[in-house]
Amino acid sequence: MKKLCLLSLAIALASPGAWAATADNKEAFVSDLLKQMTLDEKIGQLRLISIGPEMPRELIRKEIAAGRIGGTFNSITRPENRPMQDAAMRSRLKIPMFFAYDVIHGHRTIFPIPLALAASWDMDAIGLSGRISAKEAAADSIDLTFAPMVDVSRDPRWGRTSEGFGEDTYLVSRIAQVMVRAFQGPAPSAADSIMASVKHFALYGAVEGGRDYNIVDMSLVKMYQDYLPPYRAAIDAGAGGVMTALNSINGVPASSNTWLMQDLLRKEWGFKGLTVSDHGAVFELINHGVARDGREAAKLAIKAGIDMSMNDSLYGKELPGLLKAGDIAQSDIDNAVREVLGAKYDMGLFKDPYLRIGKAEQDPADLYAPERMHRSEARDVARRSLVLLENRNQTLPLAKTAKIALVGPLAKAPIDMMGSWAAAGRPDQSVTLFDGMRAAMGQQATLTYARGANITGDAKVLGYLNFLNFDAPEVVDDPRPAAQLIAEAVKAAQQADVVVAAVGESRGMSHESSSRTDLNIPASQRELIKALKATGKPLVLVLMNGRPLSIVDEKEQADAILETWFAGTEGGNAIADVLFGDYNPSGKLPLTFPRSVGQIPTYYNHLSIGRPFTPGKPGNYTSQYFDDTTGPLYPFGYGLSYTDFSLSDMALSSTTLNKSGTLDATIKVKNTGRRDGETVVQLYVQDVTGSMIRPVKELKGFQKLMLKAGEEKVLRFTLSEDDLKFYNTQLQYAAEPGKFNVQIGLNSRDVKQQSFELL
Ligand code: BGC
């Protein structure tokens, strides 16, 4: 075998770019190649650089040809990447480059933000969004995405809540698997697949106070039970890469954390792929205070098992000296290089370095051509992700013949519609709410528009949001006085049958580095809502935001509230579909909406306590805040429909479960209303008594189903011992005999319950 590999290597070296003759045995191939490499070439492979518009392309190509760069990110077209791959093919060993990008929720067609995808609870829709993202990205020469982001987030002050799939371990884990499989398709080596690099390993969503980049201090039980499973699920689904988190964990930064990167990831979980640091994270080990200087930072990171260092030059600068001084071993470098080469092998790049770059004559004449996009799929996925929070007096759906006043700073906001991390999406291709409603209404109806308010009246906040942005200010104020904007909107409202107000956050408010101390709609917009309410006209709020907002007042002021998150390229059409009843909303909240910041954390699956607050009973000496209503504004799993659903009592197939057996929970779901519709039936389990405190309930299954008006179906959920296992104080994963409650509901709060005994 060995001889064969050397032979194939020799053939490959003899003919430029002809890696087609490489061996099929990955390990032997990589080992043989490694033996041919100089130290410089090895270290070069560990360098992952960002390509910005300002970077000297000529110099980069020179570096690549000298074997000093392993991959790039942010260069995202075939004509950009081809010359770099050509340069790699001129290098001594012709090791191909890979090209990465943050393809998070779409590439050219932007799907709803991940939090919104989670709100669909629709695994097919989510998978479709991932598959299309991969196809579009691969067609633009991307080999790897820094996604999915599966950080469980339970503190909505954190701006990256928008980028994840919510607060629940089970739901996030399910989506993690779906996304990895969707990105990677049949294999990461397929021409229309991209490798998934799951992030941010680990626990990034639990940063203290929701402050980005902050510390995480957490018990091992909580980690294993609540925060680690989604990363594990992604890895078990075959994710080829793992990106480390920017936070520290119990006193050790993720990027220098040997326990995390070696003991847990590689030894315990058996991960065999590529690890990359997050942007500049190796250098930041100095700021964390665990490395004296760049030299020590590089040493800690490579020894911990960070294969590629993203966007710093520390590995290149420091590894040779560290090796010479005996501070690191040759095997530290070789192990990292082996993973980089292995990932390139898995991406199919040794067989064909131009697999996703293709031939120049096949380059798209127009990157933004409509036929390169997937609008109908994006529209369908988007409407599945919208959550109807309120609908008094059946204010929605709206009649297409109505006189509608559309107001609010987000009604005509193409950039915001795409949400943050919008990859190669273009605002001029995204459909605003105004455009979507206009198109849906036809000519008979009138749609008047008034801005009504700016996103924020706070100049400091505005400055921050625009500072974040790269090309041009994203949040552009209407310079007229606030009172004048409101007066204009009120006038429009007075002349209309119904008012639709598009309010919430600009996309930059729910982004990396955008932590907030309050969860209110900004004051400028709250003033607008108050004034609109005073007109007495029916008021529909279309919320756009990337995190839960505390909308206690707005809940009372509005007749209907539709949570639309940031719905993507086709957002305007999708929202219009729901507003006018062409699609019956079916989304459910993937995280709890608190009444106020002071209530955080409000996640539903908290541990049992000794003095729980019990609604309806005096609150004294129970766990509560005495100055506000106890409990969240909207519970996890909540969402309305234009029709009504009822649940029968639940039946269990037995009152006992043997360790090797299964138990069925069945329930009848009926559409009791007059419209067809979909809903999500959710199954929760509570381990009533255990060797340690267990959560009050935990999601263990769900089914999204469509029922015609009047239709009824029996749903069956099958439980086994596996669904009851948890990590005990010794970190053993096992189920304990005893009583379990099973709950089924259309949200996490209002449930039917039965009990059984695990024998
Ligand atoms: C983010 C990562 C991202 C990387 C590359 C970092 O700032 O934390 O999530 O993948 O940049 O764009």
Side-chain angles (χ1 to χ4, degrees):
M1 172 53 78
K2 196 158 171 211
K3 238 186 202 156
L4 227 172
C5 293
L6 284 174
L7 183 69
S8 59
L9 188 63
I11 295 172
L13 295 183
S15 45
W19 282 102
T22 52
D24 280 334
N25 182 329
K26 174 179 161 185
E27 262 172 50
F29 172 77
V30 167
S31 295
D32 283 341
L33 180 49
L34 201 62
K35 282 186 204 135
Q36 310 294 312
M37 297 170 76
T38 63
L39 180 63
D40 273 358
E41 284 165 342
K42 286 179 180 174
I43 294 173
Q45 285 302 307
L46 309 184
R47 187 164 163 217
L48 176 61
I49 62 162
S50 171
I51 305 285
E54 73 294 346
M55 300 200 28
R57 300 304 158 109
E58 188 61 45
L59 186 72
I60 291 170
R61 288 197 289 271
K62 256 193 173 153
E63 290 275 285
I64 294 171
R68 283 199 282 264
I69 300 176
T72 75
F73 61 112
N74 292 337
S75 57
I76 57 161
T77 64
R78 292 167 174 227
E80 268 179 290
N81 289 336
R82 186 175 295 108
M84 289 196 268
Q85 198 64 299
D86 290 345
M89 292 304 110
R90 290 196 298 275
S91 68
R92 192 178 76 86
L93 290 172
K94 302 175 182 42
I95 297 172
M97 297 276 292
F98 72 76
F99 303 100
Y101 194 34
D102 289 284
V103 179
I104 309 291
H105 54 109
H107 177 66
R108 298 225 169 257
T109 313
I110 302 306
F111 286 84
I113 56 168
L115 191 61
L117 290 175
S120 76
W121 295 59
D122 185 327
M123 298 301 122
D124 293 338
I126 295 171
L128 181 70
S129 78
R131 192 82 276 278
I132 289 173
S133 307
K135 280 183 183 217
E136 288 186 0
D140 275 349
S141 72
I142 304 303
D143 303 302
L144 179 146
T145 176
F146 301 127
M149 179 188 118
V150 301
D151 307 319
V152 168
S153 56
R154 294 179 172 179
D155 190 330
R157 288 174 293 184
W158 191 46
R160 301 191 83 165
T161 300
S162 58
E163 243 183 281
F165 302 111
E167 74 185 23
D168 182 67
T169 310
Y170 176 83
L171 183 60
V172 179
S173 301
R174 288 274 305 267
I175 299 174
Q177 286 185 329
V178 168
M179 277 309 236
V180 168
R181 293 190 180 126
F183 285 138
Q184 297 193 162
S189 59
D192 67 354
S193 291
I194 54 178
M195 182 174 272
S197 183
V198 61
K199 68 188 183 188
H200 302 84
F201 193 61
L203 323 182
Y204 188 25
V207 282
E208 195 167 88
R211 286 194 291 278
D212 213 353
Y213 318 123
N214 222 276
I215 66 154
V216 175
D217 206 323
M218 187 186 282
S219 74
L220 280 171
V221 168
K222 191 166 185 172
M223 264 185 223
Y224 271 79
Q225 191 61 35
D226 296 346
Y227 283 84
L228 292 175
Y231 308 106
R232 176 95 195 249
I235 287 162
D236 289 348
V242 168
M243 181 192 287
T244 59
L246 292 160
N247 51 280
S248 58
I249 296 172
N250 295 350
V252 183
S255 306
S256 64
N257 198 317
T258 310
W259 167 76
L260 183 76
M261 302 307 294
Q262 310 262 2
D263 300 340
L264 181 69
L265 181 67
R266 300 237 182 238
K267 293 188 194 131
E268 201 173 314
W269 292 0
F271 177 66
K272 294 207 162 53
L274 172 71
T275 58
V276 298
S277 75
D278 200 346
H279 204 282
V282 177
F283 187 81
E284 287 168 20
L285 294 174
I286 304 172
N287 291 343
H288 281 288
V290 296
R292 250 181 323 248
D293 50 22
R295 187 173 196 273
E296 196 174 11
K299 173 180 147 185
L300 290 176
I302 195 89
K303 282 197 117 17
I306 310 299
D307 300 332
M308 289 188 105
S309 101
M310 186 192 280
N311 226 37
D312 62 35
S313 45
L314 284 181
Y315 274 9
K317 200 162 142 225
E318 305 293 353
L319 294 186
L322 286 165
L323 183 66
K324 211 162 161 203
D327 287 339
I328 61 169
Q330 182 65 50
S331 58
D332 292 327
I333 296 178
D334 286 357
N335 288 343
V337 179
R338 198 172 279 119
E339 300 304 351
V340 177
L341 299 177
K344 290 181 174 181
Y345 186 100
D346 290 340
M347 288 184 251
L349 293 171
F350 282 109
K351 281 209 168 124
D352 180 3
Y354 296 91
L355 181 66
R356 298 179 187 87
I357 293 174
K359 293 196 167 38
E361 54 271 26
Q362 287 158 356
D363 285 355
D366 174 9
L367 285 171
Y368 308 100
E371 61 275 13
R372 301 192 83 221
M373 298 182 69
H374 295 83
R375 284 189 178 276
S376 64
E377 292 89 341
R379 180 173 182 163
D380 190 45
V381 173
R383 56 195 202 168
R384 288 170 186 279
S385 73
L386 310 182
V387 184
L388 184 64
L389 296 176
E390 296 292 337
N391 196 16
R392 278 190 276 279
N393 310 318
Q394 298 184 322
T395 305
L396 291 176
L398 303 171
K400 286 189 183 170
T401 49
K403 270 174 95 175
I404 300 174
L406 174 61
V407 302
L410 291 160
K412 289 187 176 180
I415 289 190
D416 298 299
M417 193 58 99
M418 296 193 299
S420 75
W421 295 106
R426 280 224 320 213
D428 62 0
Q429 293 192 313
S430 91
V431 180
T432 65
L433 180 57
F434 179 86
D435 296 339
M437 288 180 70
R438 184 68 272 165
M441 289 170 75
Q443 292 317 311
Q444 338 74 311
T446 49
L447 182 68
T448 50
Y449 163 78
R451 184 171 168 93
N454 286 318
I455 285 285
T456 171
D458 185 330
K460 224 170 104 205
V461 170
L462 183 69
Y464 183 76
L465 295 172
N466 284 333
F467 163 77
L468 262 185
N469 191 31
F470 327 86
D471 309 326
E474 272 195 11
V475 185
V476 183
D477 262 0
D478 186 320
R480 289 175 292 167
Q484 194 180 336
L485 292 175
I486 290 182
E488 189 184 59
V490 164
K491 194 164 163 217
Q494 279 159 345
Q495 289 162 4
D497 303 329
V498 56
V499 186
V500 175
V503 291
E505 301 182 304
S506 69
R507 69 167 184 169
M509 292 172 74
S510 275
H511 184 59
E512 180 178 346
S513 181
S514 291
S515 301
R516 293 185 64 188
T517 60
D518 83 63
L519 300 174
N520 294 327
I521 295 174
S524 56
Q525 300 181 59
R526 292 207 309 276
E527 289 303 315
L528 170 66
I529 295 168
K530 234 192 274 166
L532 293 171
K533 168 72 181 168
T535 66
K537 297 287 176 161
L539 175 60
V540 177
L541 296 188
V542 170
L543 292 182
M544 296 187 196
N545 44 279
R547 53 158 65 84
L549 296 178
S550 44
I551 44 168
V552 175
D553 292 342
E554 294 78 4
K555 182 177 191 265
E556 301 309 320
Q557 291 161 329
D559 297 284
I561 304 179
L562 184 66
E563 173 57 77
T564 70
W565 318 105
F566 296 112
T569 302
E570 279 288 313
N573 285 330
I575 299 169
D577 286 342
V578 169
L579 291 179
F580 292 113
D582 295 324
Y583 179 81
N584 187 354
S586 62
K588 302 275 188 175
L589 296 178
L591 72 194
T592 310
F593 271 42
R595 300 176 63 82
S596 67
V597 161
Q599 280 190 325
I600 296 169
T602 50
Y603 58 93
Y604 80 96
N605 47 352
H606 57 86
L607 297 177
S608 296
I609 56 169
R611 294 188 181 188
F613 174 80
T614 315
K617 298 223 169 117
N620 297 355
Y621 299 99
T622 63
S623 186
Q624 58 163 337
Y625 296 105
F626 71 83
D627 58 353
D628 196 359
T629 307
T630 299
L633 191 60
Y634 295 109
F636 175 80
Y638 172 88
L640 303 173
S641 161
Y642 293 153
T643 189
D644 292 309
F645 296 98
S646 73
L647 291 178
S648 70
D649 282 338
M650 176 207 328
L652 295 183
S653 57
S654 168
T655 52
T656 58
L657 171 64
N658 287 317
K659 283 219 163 184
S660 55
T662 59
L663 180 136
D664 284 350
T666 45
I667 198 158
K668 239 186 256 166
V669 199
K670 184 167 184 184
N671 180 343
T672 56
R674 286 199 302 266
R675 280 171 177 266
D676 301 350
E678 282 173 278
T679 191
V680 182
V681 182
Q682 303 152 37
L683 176 126
Y684 298 87
V685 171
Q686 180 190 16
D687 186 351
V688 182
T689 315
S691 60
M692 62 182 298
I693 302 170
R694 307 284 298 121
V696 291
K697 61 181 75 188
E698 290 174 289
L699 184 71
K700 290 291 175 185
F702 59 87
Q703 297 183 39
K704 189 163 188 174
L705 81 163
M706 158 64 90
L707 290 175
K708 296 209 172 316
E711 196 186 355
E712 177 174 87
K713 264 189 198 157
V714 175
L715 282 191
R716 182 180 307 276
F717 292 89
T718 301
L719 288 169
S720 73
E721 190 202 354
D722 274 350
D723 299 305
L724 312 178
K725 288 183 174 165
F726 67 98
Y727 290 93
N728 64 20
T729 50
Q730 310 303 312
L731 293 183
Q732 291 149 341
Y733 189 58
E736 295 177 359
K739 184 179 171 189
F740 287 82
N741 291 330
V742 184
Q743 303 178 341
I744 297 185
L746 301 177
N747 65 62
S748 61
R749 186 187 52 201
D750 309 308
V751 291
K752 308 278 181 176
Q753 180 171 304
Q754 292 288 350
S755 306
F756 71 90
E757 192 90 14
L758 176 69
L759 300 177

